[in-house]
Amino acid sequence: MYPYFQKNIPLQAAENSSSDPIQAFLSQNPSFGTLIFQVTGGQGAFPVPNATVTLSKVLKDDFSLSITIHTDESGKTQPISLPAPDRKLSQSPNNGIVYAAYDAKVTAEGFLPTEIRNLPVFDGVTTIQPVNLTADFGQPPNAADEIDDKEPDL
């Protein structure tokens, strides 16, 4: 078992073969960035307490990493430390992707679920991700707002 996404606790992985997708992901993402979600309703007019935020990262060979966390009374989550590539990669051209991309699903009673794809996480950077939930007025099942973060223009 891998203890992932624990606040302020370095990730550790069991000693496994180099073909282990989780170990490979950690070796490519040895540093950490932080995400905080700010969940609101009414186009940002009020916080949504007790919203469920599920963060995930799909790896190869049907492996994935995920964590579920809830917002407090102000609509914010606790900071979530996530693996990210070392920031030194961004200091030279042609070093490829210098962030790790995660997906999130945010749900709360009385609101439509919102899915966010490709959230960038950078080494040493704390990002506050705003999420505005839409009230559920009887939309059909499986209706959801979707947000696709575009690749950052670096």
Side-chain angles (χ1 to χ4, degrees):
M1 184 69 150
Y2 297 94
Y4 290 101
F5 307 144
Q6 296 181 24
K7 181 182 172 196
N8 299 323
I9 298 174
L11 294 184
Q12 297 177 9
E15 295 295 325
N16 288 341
S17 72
S18 60
S19 64
D20 178 358
I22 297 173
Q23 188 64 36
F25 174 73
L26 290 177
S27 68
Q28 295 167 358
N29 297 278
S31 300
F32 294 89
T34 304
L35 274 178
I36 299 171
F37 286 82
Q38 173 66 61
V39 182
T40 59
Q43 297 180 340
F46 56 88
V48 177
N50 206 33
T52 301
V53 178
T54 303
L55 262 169
S56 61
K57 174 73 176 171
V58 176
L59 306 176
K60 66 180 185 174
D61 298 334
D62 294 327
F63 279 80
S64 65
L65 304 174
S66 69
I67 182 173
T68 299
I69 191 167
H70 294 88
T71 59
D72 61 19
E73 62 278 348
S74 67
K76 283 188 178 180
T77 63
Q78 291 293 315
I80 307 161
S81 294
L82 300 166
D86 193 300
R87 74 179 80 193
K88 292 177 189 172
L89 292 175
S90 67
Q91 297 172 356
S92 299
N94 303 322
N95 272 341
I97 298 176
V98 296
Y99 61 91
Y102 294 87
D103 295 334
K105 183 173 185 177
V106 182
T107 60
E109 188 174 334
F111 295 91
L112 293 174
T114 297
E115 296 179 6
I116 306 168
R117 303 208 190 294
N118 300 317
L119 282 168
V121 174
F122 294 89
D123 175 20
V125 175
T126 297
T127 302
I128 299 177
Q129 177 65 46
V131 179
N132 183 45
L133 296 179
T134 303
D136 182 359
F137 294 112
Q139 272 81 347
N142 298 325
D145 286 343
E146 289 192 23
I147 301 168
D148 189 1
D149 271 9
K150 302 298 181 216
E151 184 173 313
D153 185 17
L154 303 175

